[in-house]
Amino acid sequence: MIKDKESPIRSCHFVYIVALVFGTIIQFSDESEFVVDMSKTSLIHVPKDLPPKTKVLDLSQNNISELHLSDISFLSGLRVLRLSHNRIQGLDISIFKFNHDLEYLDLSHNQLQKISCHPITTTLKHLDLSFNDFDALPICKEFGNLTQLNFLGLSATKLQQLDLLPIAHLHLSCILLDLEDYMKEDKKESLQILNTKKLHLVFHPNSFFSVQVNISANSLGCLQLTNIKLNDYNCQVLLKFLSGLTGGPTLLNFTLNHMETTWKCLVKVFQFLWPKPVEYLNIYNLTIVESIDEEVFTYYKTTLKALKIEHITNKVFIFSQTALYTVFSEMNILMLTISDTRFIHMLCPQEPSTFKFLNFTQNSFTDSVFQNCDTLARLETLILQKNELKDLFKTSLMTKDMLSLETLDVSWNSLEYDRSNGNCSWVGSIVVLNLSSNALTDSVFRCLPPRIKVLDLHNNRIRSIPKDVTGLETLQELNLASNSLAHLPGCGIFSSLSILIIDYNSVSNPSADFFQSCQKIRSLKAGNNPFQCSCELRDFIQSVGQVSSDVVEGWPESYKCDYPESYKGTPLKDFQVSELSCNTALLIITIVVPGLVLAVAVTVLCIYLDLPWYLRMVCQWTQTRRRARNVPLEELQRTLQFHAFISYSEHDSAWVKNELIPNLEKEDIRICLHERNFVAGKSIVENIINCIEKSYKSIFVLSPNFVQSEWCHYELYFAHHNLFHEGSNNLILILLEPIPQNTIPDRYHKLRALMAQRTYLEWPKEKSKHGLFWANIRAAFNIKLRLVTENDDVKG
């Protein structure tokens, strides 16, 4: 019989299977020649060029129809072979006789109708022949030698009581029995299953349950049924089928997967299992059809500890909510999980409840749930994750009568807290509180249980922690990840804090005093923040280096500079900045102090040495020299036109004109005077410079009047500058009247220096000494000058 089959969800995945498959892959993943994955490649036969050292071979989901000895005989080290979802119709076990290390063989979801039995390697641990076209269970007597076999998957359309006798002595962990195509006959069949811990039965997904085979099992600990479709008429067929399987004292775990039923039948299943030894009842993918009416349920004394229902699809749109919720709320068990059902409410038990654990994840509960409920005094853990809670104050009010409540998870809701709502009324027993993924702000710290030890506030809208918060002395673990905090909180209000998670926030400059403030901290996770690489951050980096490497989680991979841009992406451990830029005192000493010294020096120069005056003179000198470079070449050839340029104060002009000039000119010494030789149209400074440059000597008539004349000082400055510029000795100083040193201004330091270092001629008061004075003057002039025309003078 050939037909395509829909793969059911299978949960027979014990640790040994996971370890076997994935452990083998991990073991050889470093060398690609050991692992060959050719699934979903449209193969029609096993490739001939497989690496001989292959350990794991995946040929699933192809179009392979035949297997031959030559296909895999050369793979002597093969351990895992997957051939599921192909078109193989016949199997000769002897093709595996050379694969002595084979541990995992999956031939499920093929078209196998028969098996040729031969001895098979005894190392096999996982053999899956389920979802094929066998009429009878494909059990070879040689399977009895598979002493290491843990998992066995089978298919059959007919069952006989002793079909599994050849492997009765094996201690299997799981048997998967595909009964999708089991054919009902008038004669009732039986099957005895020995020595397996878990039995997984898969029925047809689209047919109402009608299997009436009598299956008995010894030492069965876990039973799973997949694809159970019921109505009010065949409900009893299922209960009768379960009678032989659920009576044993070892069956503790019972799972129903992909179950479609009426509410009435579901309550009957609960009532049937209530007195049984089953401790854990799990229902996955439950669909309720037809109607939901109030049903009588008698809560016998039960060994059932936990009921878990995940993913309910309710196809009944009009029904009594009380009829539905009452059955669950009054259950006398310890643990109840109803998740992903979109229930809008849950009733408070009418009598003091035995519940210690309630999980209502992913429903539509509102703030009204469990309000004024005083019958859940034994409840220790309450999970209301992914519901529609909005008011944190009402959530706290909900807990006030849950006197044993220690753990509360209300994450992934829309909780907010407005202090105008009133003071929170948490029960004092809560020590673990999960408020993550809500809409809470800074005010949440004013609405927390008094003995809280573990607090999860990640993914909210918190910007800071109020400094005046009290009552959190017992808090040991705080998760503030994915908020908008700008600073690391200190431990002033968290004196017992040992674990802090604050990654993915807005912390740019974590305080270097954090570890001093938080002496008990043993784990800090603060990576993935926009760290500003600055001097303050350098101090924090140094403090990180002083604690154990186990304390700062994610260091250094998750700690990188975000700005300035030049450091973006740089690990904090590699960030370096100079001591000068971080030490304010040193920076002041290095920059400010020299600046002050310079300012004082400039002030001294300005006040005592008339620095602005000298700068102005240098500027004028430079401008004059620049203009001189623009004169034609023939005019640049300097020619001395005067024996001397005379600089004097107007107050001393009488002596200069009556004594000095006549005595010099009668010796044919040509004199340059400003009143007769300055060229009109040129600036005074430019005329002074030109006259000094065209004169062999510069005579300065010194007196107290000279000292007071700024123009005389200009002339002396330019003459002295020209002296060094030309490299000659062209100054003649005549002291007409004595000048006391203390009368010379500080800014005339050049005059002081000249009078101290150079010989000057002093005009004698006695006439008898005048002859010697004039002789010394004449001796200074020993050059013959080129006679110049009047035009030359004008040009000069």
Side-chain angles (χ1 to χ4, degrees):
M1 184 170 60
I2 301 174
K3 54 180 176 287
D4 294 328
K5 299 180 180 181
E6 181 181 352
S7 175
I9 296 178
R10 301 161 57 183
S11 62
C12 210
H13 298 145
F14 280 83
V15 175
Y16 75 92
I17 300 177
V18 177
L20 175 62
V21 180
F22 293 100
T24 305
I25 294 175
I26 294 172
Q27 180 179 359
F28 300 109
S29 59
D30 293 338
E31 300 184 49
S32 59
E33 63 176 331
F34 291 151
V35 179
V36 178
D37 185 357
M38 301 187 72
S39 61
K40 302 180 183 179
T41 55
S42 301
L43 295 174
I44 60 173
H45 56 76
V46 178
K48 302 298 183 182
D49 56 350
L50 295 172
K53 294 184 180 180
T54 299
K55 305 291 184 181
V56 177
L57 177 59
D58 190 348
L59 297 173
S60 62
Q61 302 187 59
N62 283 293
N63 297 314
I64 300 173
S65 60
E66 293 182 328
L67 292 177
H68 303 95
L69 178 64
S70 60
D71 291 336
I72 57 173
S73 60
F74 63 96
L75 303 177
S76 58
L78 188 65
R79 294 186 180 180
V80 176
L81 176 59
R82 296 191 187 90
L83 284 164
S84 62
H85 296 276
N86 277 279
R87 297 182 178 180
I88 303 172
Q89 299 182 13
L91 176 64
D92 187 342
I93 295 294
S94 65
I95 66 173
F96 303 111
K97 63 182 179 181
F98 296 111
N99 305 112
H100 301 294
D101 296 329
L102 189 62
E103 298 178 358
Y104 186 102
L105 177 59
D106 186 354
L107 285 160
S108 64
H109 297 277
N110 276 276
Q111 299 168 6
L112 289 171
Q113 297 179 0
K114 60 180 180 178
I115 290 181
S116 298
C117 295
H118 295 278
I120 190 173
T121 174
T122 58
T123 57
L124 204 62
K125 298 178 181 179
H126 182 104
L127 176 60
D128 195 348
L129 300 171
S130 62
F131 303 98
N132 280 283
D133 297 334
F134 299 110
D135 287 333
L137 290 179
I139 300 295
C140 298
K141 63 178 182 179
E142 288 82 1
F143 287 0
N145 297 324
L146 302 178
T147 56
Q148 299 186 44
L149 192 64
N150 283 315
F151 176 90
L152 179 61
L154 302 169
S155 291
T157 61
K158 298 179 181 180
L159 298 176
Q160 294 184 12
Q161 184 175 2
L162 301 180
D163 280 348
L164 298 178
L165 185 61
I167 59 170
H169 60 286
L170 299 181
H171 296 279
L172 300 176
S173 294
C174 180
I175 291 180
L176 170 63
L177 186 55
D178 164 32
L179 297 177
E180 281 192 5
D181 297 320
Y182 176 74
M183 299 181 66
K184 176 183 177 183
E185 293 186 354
D186 295 335
K187 183 179 178 181
K188 190 174 181 180
E189 296 180 341
S190 299
L191 178 65
Q192 186 174 7
I193 299 177
L194 305 173
N195 298 328
T196 183
K197 296 178 181 178
K198 179 173 182 178
L199 175 61
H200 184 187
L201 303 176
V202 181
F203 304 97
H204 197 283
N206 300 318
S207 299
F208 282 100
F209 186 84
S210 61
V211 176
Q212 300 188 41
V213 63
N214 182 19
I215 298 179
S216 59
N218 296 336
S219 66
L220 187 63
C222 178
L223 174 62
Q224 179 173 344
L225 306 184
T226 296
N227 298 333
I228 306 296
K229 190 173 182 180
L230 301 170
N231 55 27
D232 292 343
Y233 302 103
N234 73 332
C235 188
Q236 196 62 33
V237 177
L238 174 66
L239 300 182
K240 190 173 182 180
F241 176 81
L242 292 176
S243 297
L245 289 171
T246 58
T250 60
L251 181 63
L252 303 180
N253 195 309
F254 181 36
T255 299
L256 295 166
N257 191 20
H258 284 285
M259 181 179 186
E260 180 180 310
T261 180
T262 63
W263 174 247
K264 182 177 182 179
C265 182
L266 181 63
V267 173
K268 286 184 177 180
V269 172
F270 289 155
Q271 192 74 78
F272 170 81
L273 293 172
W274 220 251
K276 301 294 182 181
V278 175
E279 295 184 356
Y280 299 92
L281 174 59
N282 310 294
I283 303 177
Y284 302 106
N285 302 296
L286 172 65
T287 301
I288 299 177
V289 296
E290 295 187 9
S291 63
I292 298 178
D293 299 313
E294 187 172 349
E295 302 291 338
V296 177
F297 190 92
T298 305
Y299 298 97
Y300 305 111
K301 184 178 180 181
T302 182
T303 59
L304 188 67
K305 295 179 179 179
L307 169 62
K308 177 190 290 185
I309 304 178
E310 291 187 358
H311 189 68
I312 296 180
T313 301
N314 187 3
K315 293 186 177 182
V316 182
F317 301 106
I318 300 177
F319 62 95
S320 169
Q321 300 284 339
T322 303
L324 179 65
Y325 301 143
T326 301
V327 170
F328 298 111
S329 64
E330 302 300 326
M331 287 183 171
N332 53 334
I333 58 177
L334 298 179
M335 295 179 284
L336 174 63
T337 296
I338 302 178
S339 63
D340 191 16
T341 65
R342 294 303 170 190
F343 281 8
I344 62 174
H345 194 61
M346 180 53 61
L347 297 176
C348 179
Q350 296 180 4
E351 301 293 334
S353 175
T354 58
F355 287 132
K356 290 188 175 182
F357 176 95
L358 290 177
N359 182 355
F360 297 108
T361 296
Q362 202 168 347
N363 285 285
S364 300
F365 290 0
T366 63
D367 294 325
S368 62
V369 69
F370 296 136
Q371 293 294 336
N372 300 314
C373 183
D374 59 359
T375 56
L376 292 173
R378 297 183 184 180
L379 187 63
E380 298 175 356
T381 301
L382 176 59
I383 302 175
L384 296 173
Q385 187 183 110
K386 296 183 179 180
N387 278 275
E388 297 181 9
L389 306 179
K390 295 182 178 180
D391 191 341
L392 184 62
F393 170 75
K394 291 183 178 178
T395 301
S396 71
L397 203 60
M398 174 190 69
T399 69
K400 67 183 181 63
D401 294 320
M402 299 176 180
L403 304 180
S404 302
L405 188 64
E406 296 182 353
T407 301
L408 175 63
D409 184 349
V410 286
S411 60
W412 291 99
N413 280 276
S414 302
L415 287 171
E416 296 179 346
Y417 174 61
D418 185 351
R419 293 194 66 190
S420 64
N421 290 342
N423 295 325
C424 295
S425 303
W426 299 101
V427 66
S429 57
I430 296 179
V431 293
V432 179
L433 178 59
N434 190 342
L435 295 172
S436 64
S437 299
N438 280 287
L440 298 166
T441 60
D442 305 356
S443 60
V444 67
F445 288 95
R446 307 185 191 280
C447 180
L448 293 174
R451 294 172 52 199
I452 188 73
K453 292 183 179 181
V454 179
L455 177 61
D456 191 344
L457 284 167
H458 84 270
N459 194 25
N460 275 283
R461 301 173 184 175
I462 301 171
R463 294 182 176 273
S464 63
I465 299 176
K467 295 183 179 180
D468 58 343
V469 172
T470 58
L472 296 177
E473 292 80 9
T474 60
L475 187 62
Q476 298 176 4
E477 181 176 341
L478 177 59
N479 187 344
L480 290 167
S482 301
N483 278 280
S484 301
L485 289 157
H487 303 285
L488 279 181
C491 291
I493 57 177
F494 308 127
S495 56
S496 301
L497 192 65
S498 60
I499 298 175
L500 175 62
I501 303 173
I502 195 171
D503 51 344
Y504 294 102
N505 272 272
S506 300
V507 179
S508 58
N509 289 305
S511 172
D513 298 331
F514 172 78
F515 293 103
Q516 296 179 354
S517 171
C518 301
Q519 296 288 335
K520 296 182 180 180
I521 203 75
R522 56 183 176 84
S523 177
L524 171 65
K525 190 175 182 181
N528 300 294
N529 274 286
F531 295 110
Q532 179 181 5
C533 287
S534 60
C535 297
E536 293 80 3
L537 193 65
R538 187 191 67 161
D539 297 337
F540 172 75
I541 296 172
Q542 291 176 350
S543 67
V544 171
Q546 296 172 359
V547 299
S548 172
S549 58
D550 297 333
V551 172
V552 185
E553 293 190 29
W555 180 272
E557 298 83 7
S558 301
Y559 296 76
K560 296 181 180 180
C561 299
D562 190 68
Y563 55 95
E565 192 65 28
S566 57
Y567 285 105
K568 190 176 182 65
T570 302
L572 297 195
K573 68 179 183 64
D574 297 331
F575 169 66
Q576 296 180 351
V577 63
S578 65
E579 181 69 25
L580 178 62
S581 61
C582 291
N583 191 321
T584 304
L586 182 61
L587 189 63
I588 293 175
I589 294 173
T590 306
I591 298 177
V592 178
V593 172
L596 290 175
V597 172
L598 179 61
V600 171
V602 170
T603 302
V604 171
L605 290 174
C606 290
I607 295 175
Y608 295 100
L609 302 180
D610 199 7
L611 180 62
W613 184 88
Y614 282 105
L615 293 176
R616 191 164 63 250
M617 290 302 99
V618 170
C619 181
Q620 292 177 344
W621 168 270
T622 304
Q623 291 176 352
T624 301
R625 299 295 295 182
R626 185 181 296 113
R627 285 195 297 269
R629 285 196 293 268
N630 295 327
V631 176
L633 181 60
E634 59 273 12
E635 295 185 20
L636 289 176
Q637 297 175 355
R638 183 173 177 270
T639 302
L640 296 177
Q641 300 177 16
F642 304 99
H643 285 95
F645 166 74
I646 299 179
S647 175
Y648 58 92
S649 171
E650 284 298 321
H651 296 285
D652 300 324
S653 61
W655 183 84
V656 172
K657 294 178 180 179
N658 296 330
E659 293 287 346
L660 181 59
I661 294 177
N663 280 285
L664 293 177
E665 287 185 338
K666 73 179 181 180
E667 299 292 335
D668 294 330
I669 296 176
R670 298 186 65 187
I671 302 299
C672 178
L673 293 174
H674 64 272
E675 61 263 29
R676 70 185 184 191
N677 295 109
F678 277 14
V679 178
K682 294 185 177 181
S683 67
I684 295 176
V685 173
E686 190 172 358
N687 274 305
I688 292 173
I689 294 173
N690 287 337
C691 286
I692 290 175
E693 288 184 341
K694 293 178 180 179
S695 301
Y696 177 52
K697 298 285 186 179
S698 294
I699 299 175
F700 291 89
V701 180
L702 307 178
S703 68
N705 297 321
F706 182 95
V707 171
Q708 301 302 319
S709 173
E710 186 171 353
W711 284 112
C712 291
H713 194 205
Y714 284 172
E715 293 167 350
L716 178 62
Y717 175 84
F718 290 132
H720 186 259
H721 189 279
N722 191 63
L723 167 67
F724 290 100
H725 181 72
E726 299 292 341
S728 56
N729 188 6
N730 293 333
L731 292 182
I732 298 176
L733 304 180
I734 297 176
L735 185 61
L736 182 61
E737 296 179 15
I739 304 175
Q741 282 285 77
N742 58 359
T743 64
I744 303 176
D746 292 335
R747 64 177 183 171
Y748 290 174
H749 65 93
K750 280 187 174 5
L751 178 59
R752 284 187 174 186
L754 288 172
M755 293 185 66
Q757 299 175 6
R758 301 181 64 87
T759 302
Y760 53 85
L761 299 177
E762 187 174 356
W763 171 250
K765 301 299 182 181
E766 301 87 350
K767 288 188 177 181
S768 59
K769 297 180 180 179
H770 289 179
L772 179 59
F773 175 80
W774 298 117
N776 286 332
I777 292 287
R778 286 194 298 272
F781 298 95
N782 55 1
I783 185 173
K784 294 182 178 182
L785 301 177
R786 177 177 68 85
L787 294 178
V788 297
T789 64
E790 190 66 23
N791 292 333
D792 291 332
D793 274 337
V794 174
K795 291 180 180 180

